[in-house]
Every structure is written in C-alpha cells, then in structure tokens.
Amino acid sequence: MRGRLALALALTAVMLPCMSETPSQLPKDSDGKVMFQEAFMVENVSEPELYARAKAWIKAKCSPQTIMMTDMTDGRSEATISLKDSFPAHPIAKDNQQLVYFILTIETRESRARATFNGFTVATSKDLRQTLLEPFLEGNAAAPGVDKLPGEITAKVQSIIADLKAGLAVPAPAAPPAPAAKPG
C-alpha cells in the first residue's frame, strides 16, 4: 500500500507543473508564427471527389465575408483550397469583442486531407485594424481577457477541424445536369 501511495504522490508531483502551465502556449511554425496543422484520412475517396467535398464544405459552413481562393491542379493528385475567415472571441467590454482572423488551407490528395490554420490576426469589433496575433498576445498579456484568447482559438480550430472531417466524409452534391442542346 505504501508503494502505491508513494507512486501516486510521485506522479502528482510530476503532473502538477504540467497542469499549472498556462494554456497560452499555441503551436508555432519554425518562424514563431501560430500555426495549427492536422492531416487525416478519408478512406476510399478520389482526389477530385475529396476536393469537391472540401469546396462544398467551405460554401456550406463559412461566413459571407470569406474570401475563397482555389487552386486545383489537373494532372497532379493534389489540390489546395484556402480561405480567410474570422470568429468572435472573448468580449472585452459590453459592446466590444475580440475578433480573430485566420487563413485555413485545405490540401487534398487521394484519400487524404490536411488542414492548416495560420495567418492569425486579431482586432476588436470597435477597431477593425488587424494586429498580428503573436505580438498582440505578448504585448497585452496582462489585459483582461487576453489570457483566455489562446484557449478560445484552440477550441475554435479543433471545432472547425472536427466539422471539416465530418464534411469530407459526406459525398459532394451532384453537379446540375448540363442543359439539353436545342434542336436547330
């Protein structure tokens, strides 16, 4: 019994520093910019169909201000779709909310997809001038609500990835039939 208690205490002592770490640590790329990336399988789906599913997901789920850039390369088994979107985050004051902007790039290959979130900027609903996320977090670390922002970003990205995975599992809507040629 003493051995188990000692083991439990040792594990607790090791885990406490990890649990007390601030959630403000966001994943970063080699340049120190916030970047989330996840690759996943979509079994038995051709690349053109997966690309069509990704485009359908974007059209169905993204906000009207989305800027969509598409690039499907014929003759190669990969395609890329990028969009710029935003979501409201932590309220700062009664009528002022932080807005987080990001770029989502979806790359498709035969039965595989990869989602990359980067280009994060932040603004407020009262002042729409965007600031890069990394300097904003460092410079405003003591400001109320800023400590919640990394957790909110992580949760939103995870939610979007889960929704994207579900969307890529559903066949894309069929294209409307071509109009019949008029006799003539």
Side-chain angles (χ1 to χ4, degrees):
M1 185 64 135
R2 279 188 184 168
R4 288 184 187 167
L5 181 59
L7 179 60
L9 288 173
L11 286 174
T12 303
V14 169
M15 290 174 58
L16 278 177
C18 297
M19 291 170 52
S20 66
E21 270 185 43
T22 60
S24 64
Q25 298 302 318
L26 293 168
K28 295 185 178 175
D29 64 12
S30 60
D31 295 328
K33 302 287 184 191
V34 172
M35 181 180 85
F36 293 83
Q37 189 171 67
E38 185 170 337
F40 49 93
M41 299 294 294
V42 184
E43 297 294 329
N44 302 319
V45 179
S46 69
E47 193 282 324
E49 172 64 15
L50 199 52
Y51 179 79
R53 290 179 185 188
K55 280 186 76 170
W57 178 84
I58 287 172
K59 287 179 182 176
K61 299 293 180 182
C62 293
S63 59
Q65 75 268 23
T66 297
I67 301 167
M68 190 164 84
M69 303 161 280
T70 61
D71 173 38
M72 174 131 182
T73 309
D74 291 330
R76 291 178 27 194
S77 61
E78 63 183 83
T80 302
I81 303 171
S82 293
L83 64 98
K84 183 174 184 175
D85 204 355
S86 65
F87 65 91
H90 184 74
I92 301 168
K94 185 175 181 177
D95 292 324
N96 197 10
Q97 190 165 32
Q98 291 173 336
L99 301 173
V100 177
Y101 296 85
F102 61 91
I103 297 172
L104 166 59
T105 303
I106 304 167
E107 298 168 271
T108 60
R109 297 193 81 158
E110 196 75 25
S111 297
R112 294 180 290 175
R114 179 169 62 187
T116 304
F117 294 80
N118 60 8
F120 286 91
T121 58
V122 66
T124 67
S125 54
K126 295 233 183 215
D127 182 3
L128 295 175
R129 289 178 291 173
Q130 296 180 30
T131 303
L132 291 174
L133 178 64
E134 299 80 11
F136 175 82
L137 290 175
E138 292 169 10
N140 295 301
V146 172
D147 60 328
K148 296 177 182 174
L149 193 56
E152 291 175 346
I153 292 170
T154 300
K156 185 64 173 183
V157 166
Q158 290 170 346
S159 170
I160 292 171
I161 289 175
D163 194 53
L164 174 62
K165 286 179 180 180
L168 293 183
V170 177
K182 294 182 180 180

